Amino acid sequence: MESNMLFTLLGLCVVLCVGLASDLQGTELKDFDINKFLGLWYEIAFASMVDTHDLAHKEQKLGAMTVNLEENLLALTTAYYNGDHCVVEKAGAVQADHPGKFKVTKISGSKEVSIVATDYQTYAIVDISSPVAETAYRAMKLYRRSLDNDEKVLSKFQKLALENGFTTSNIIVNKHDLTCVNTLQSGGGPKS
């Protein structure tokens, strides 16, 4: 009888451990298809530990990013709100040590960008790290293909941000103001 109970407990442990492992595997990106990722993405929300207290009191306009291939290199053009105006930046990226991880190089410095989760058609969650004044700066961003509200995707982003050390006060949802998106789409605006 004791051996039956032991086997039952062992079986339960295996089921729970396999279930936990499969849940964790679902959050990691095993394969990444860059061709499915190309195109326009809207920056819906972000999590950052730098100056989010001040940002929480200001309205953040939507950002956007276009991802293209140019001569076998990844070309990124981003537009974001910088306090009082929209900034448009262009950068190149090369694949790093695993699928979905890239090193982005700009005039202002380099960043490591990892695609944490995506379904290619509706959303992408991105983890960004870069050195700033001898400190590792880290942020997470939620991108969507459309401007439709999707509470399930936003909830998933918030959960991942919290699991990665951010707090609820570090998470900012951008206002649906298309000023910077329109700047990106028209190709104009100040460049950084």
Side-chain angles (χ1 to χ4, degrees):
M1 179 141 172
E2 285 180 30
S3 63
N4 283 344
M5 187 174 286
L6 180 61
F7 283 118
T8 302
L9 288 173
L10 183 59
L12 181 60
C13 181
V14 168
V15 168
L16 289 173
C17 291
V18 168
L20 179 59
S22 67
D23 285 347
L24 292 175
Q25 288 174 352
T27 61
E28 291 181 9
L29 201 58
K30 295 200 181 316
D31 297 316
F32 183 73
D33 186 341
I34 191 62
N35 290 314
K36 290 181 182 179
F37 197 74
L38 300 176
L40 176 66
W41 292 93
Y42 299 102
E43 182 185 321
I44 303 299
F46 66 94
S48 173
M49 293 179 195
V50 177
D51 296 333
T52 54
H53 178 69
D54 292 336
L55 292 176
H57 302 292
K58 297 178 183 176
E59 290 186 346
Q60 292 296 305
K61 298 178 183 193
L62 283 175
M65 168 179 69
T66 57
V67 181
N68 296 304
L69 280 176
E70 293 178 4
E71 299 177 20
N72 294 327
L73 293 176
L74 204 56
L76 307 172
T77 305
T78 57
Y80 59 92
Y81 192 64
N82 189 16
D84 61 351
H85 66 282
C86 295
V87 176
V88 177
E89 291 184 324
K90 293 186 179 189
V94 293
Q95 186 156 354
D97 56 358
H98 71 75
K101 188 173 186 178
F102 299 90
K103 184 170 183 167
V104 177
T105 306
K106 300 188 301 185
I107 294 171
S108 60
S110 64
K111 298 178 182 182
E112 198 167 88
V113 177
S114 296
I115 313 302
V116 177
T118 187
D119 67 357
Y120 300 103
Q121 292 99 21
T122 57
Y123 80 96
I125 299 173
V126 178
D127 191 347
I128 303 163
S129 62
S130 60
V132 176
E134 299 177 16
T135 310
Y137 166 76
R138 195 149 162 260
M140 291 186 81
K141 294 188 177 191
L142 170 62
Y143 289 97
R144 296 220 350 109
R145 291 282 192 189
S146 74
L147 294 173
D148 299 334
N149 286 332
D150 188 332
E151 290 302 318
K152 185 177 176 182
V153 170
L154 183 58
S155 178
K156 180 176 185 166
F157 170 72
Q158 291 169 331
K159 180 181 176 193
L160 278 172
L162 293 172
E163 289 172 358
N164 281 278
F166 297 96
T167 65
T168 53
S169 64
N170 297 139
I171 300 169
I172 306 295
V173 177
N174 294 329
K175 178 184 173 192
H176 281 255
D177 180 320
L178 297 176
T179 305
C180 295
V181 173
N182 293 337
T183 302
L184 175 68
Q185 292 175 328
S186 70
K191 304 235 187 308
S192 171

